[in-house]
mmCIF file of all heavy atoms in Angstrom:
data_model
loop_
_atom_site.group_PDB
_atom_site.id
_atom_site.type_symbol
_atom_site.label_atom_id
_atom_site.label_comp_id
_atom_site.label_asym_id
_atom_site.label_seq_id
_atom_site.Cartn_x
_atom_site.Cartn_y
_atom_site.Cartn_z
ATOM 1 N N TYR A 17 149.303 97.996 93.362
ATOM 2 C CA TYR A 17 148.905 96.766 94.046
ATOM 3 C C TYR A 17 147.382 96.723 94.226
ATOM 4 O O TYR A 17 146.734 95.738 93.907
ATOM 5 C CB TYR A 17 149.598 96.647 95.407
ATOM 6 C CG TYR A 17 149.023 95.561 96.269
ATOM 7 C CD1 TYR A 17 149.328 94.224 96.037
ATOM 8 C CD2 TYR A 17 148.124 95.861 97.300
ATOM 9 C CE1 TYR A 17 148.780 93.226 96.810
ATOM 10 C CE2 TYR A 17 147.568 94.874 98.076
ATOM 11 C CZ TYR A 17 147.896 93.554 97.834
ATOM 12 O OH TYR A 17 147.354 92.567 98.595
ATOM 13 N N THR A 20 145.494 96.399 90.872
ATOM 14 C CA THR A 20 145.577 95.028 90.374
ATOM 15 C C THR A 20 144.673 94.111 91.184
ATOM 16 O O THR A 20 143.971 93.262 90.628
ATOM 17 C CB THR A 20 147.037 94.515 90.436
ATOM 18 O OG1 THR A 20 147.869 95.433 89.744
ATOM 19 C CG2 THR A 20 147.170 93.140 89.825
ATOM 20 N N LYS A 26 137.265 91.857 90.422
ATOM 21 C CA LYS A 26 136.196 92.094 89.447
ATOM 22 C C LYS A 26 136.106 90.943 88.461
ATOM 23 O O LYS A 26 135.029 90.482 88.109
ATOM 24 C CB LYS A 26 136.447 93.392 88.677
ATOM 25 C CG LYS A 26 136.061 94.632 89.394
ATOM 26 C CD LYS A 26 136.289 95.802 88.457
ATOM 27 C CE LYS A 26 136.070 97.133 89.128
ATOM 28 N NZ LYS A 26 136.369 98.243 88.215
ATOM 29 N N PRO A 36 134.544 92.612 78.140
ATOM 30 C CA PRO A 36 133.387 92.678 77.246
ATOM 31 C C PRO A 36 133.789 92.306 75.826
ATOM 32 O O PRO A 36 134.846 92.690 75.346
ATOM 33 C CB PRO A 36 132.946 94.135 77.331
ATOM 34 C CG PRO A 36 134.152 94.887 77.736
ATOM 35 C CD PRO A 36 134.980 93.935 78.565
ATOM 36 N N GLN A 52 117.540 106.174 75.473
ATOM 37 C CA GLN A 52 117.645 107.597 75.198
ATOM 38 C C GLN A 52 116.494 108.073 74.318
ATOM 39 O O GLN A 52 115.956 109.145 74.516
ATOM 40 C CB GLN A 52 118.985 107.932 74.549
ATOM 41 C CG GLN A 52 120.144 107.858 75.521
ATOM 42 C CD GLN A 52 121.482 108.053 74.832
ATOM 43 O OE1 GLN A 52 121.600 107.966 73.611
ATOM 44 N NE2 GLN A 52 122.507 108.315 75.628
ATOM 45 N N SER A 65 103.621 117.744 82.218
ATOM 46 C CA SER A 65 102.874 116.962 83.202
ATOM 47 C C SER A 65 103.138 117.473 84.609
ATOM 48 O O SER A 65 102.223 117.524 85.438
ATOM 49 C CB SER A 65 103.248 115.485 83.107
ATOM 50 O OG SER A 65 102.894 114.973 81.848
ATOM 51 N N VAL A 98 106.595 108.389 96.727
ATOM 52 C CA VAL A 98 105.772 109.570 97.008
ATOM 53 C C VAL A 98 106.516 110.525 97.920
ATOM 54 O O VAL A 98 106.582 111.729 97.665
ATOM 55 C CB VAL A 98 104.412 109.162 97.620
ATOM 56 C CG1 VAL A 98 103.639 110.372 98.110
ATOM 57 C CG2 VAL A 98 103.578 108.387 96.602
ATOM 58 N N HIS A 105 110.427 118.189 95.563
ATOM 59 C CA HIS A 105 109.633 119.324 95.082
ATOM 60 C C HIS A 105 108.985 120.127 96.212
ATOM 61 O O HIS A 105 108.011 120.843 95.963
ATOM 62 C CB HIS A 105 108.553 118.828 94.115
ATOM 63 C CG HIS A 105 109.117 118.199 92.892
ATOM 64 N ND1 HIS A 105 109.724 118.926 91.892
ATOM 65 C CD2 HIS A 105 109.203 116.895 92.506
ATOM 66 C CE1 HIS A 105 110.140 118.108 90.952
ATOM 67 N NE2 HIS A 105 109.840 116.876 91.295
ATOM 68 N N GLU A 116 99.146 119.396 105.557
ATOM 69 C CA GLU A 116 97.855 118.709 105.587
ATOM 70 C C GLU A 116 97.967 117.313 104.978
ATOM 71 O O GLU A 116 97.384 116.352 105.485
ATOM 72 C CB GLU A 116 96.800 119.521 104.849
ATOM 73 C CG GLU A 116 96.364 120.763 105.590
ATOM 74 C CD GLU A 116 95.405 121.624 104.789
ATOM 75 O OE1 GLU A 116 95.039 121.237 103.653
ATOM 76 O OE2 GLU A 116 95.033 122.696 105.304
ATOM 77 N N VAL A 142 115.683 113.852 106.482
ATOM 78 C CA VAL A 142 116.159 115.050 107.175
ATOM 79 C C VAL A 142 117.386 114.685 108.001
ATOM 80 O O VAL A 142 117.407 113.679 108.701
ATOM 81 C CB VAL A 142 115.058 115.628 108.103
ATOM 82 C CG1 VAL A 142 115.554 116.859 108.820
ATOM 83 C CG2 VAL A 142 113.811 115.929 107.314
#
Side-chain angles (χ1 to χ4, degrees):
Y17 168 77
T20 306
K26 280 184 186 177
Q52 287 174 344
S65 297
V98 171
H105 297 288
E116 288 175 2
V142 180

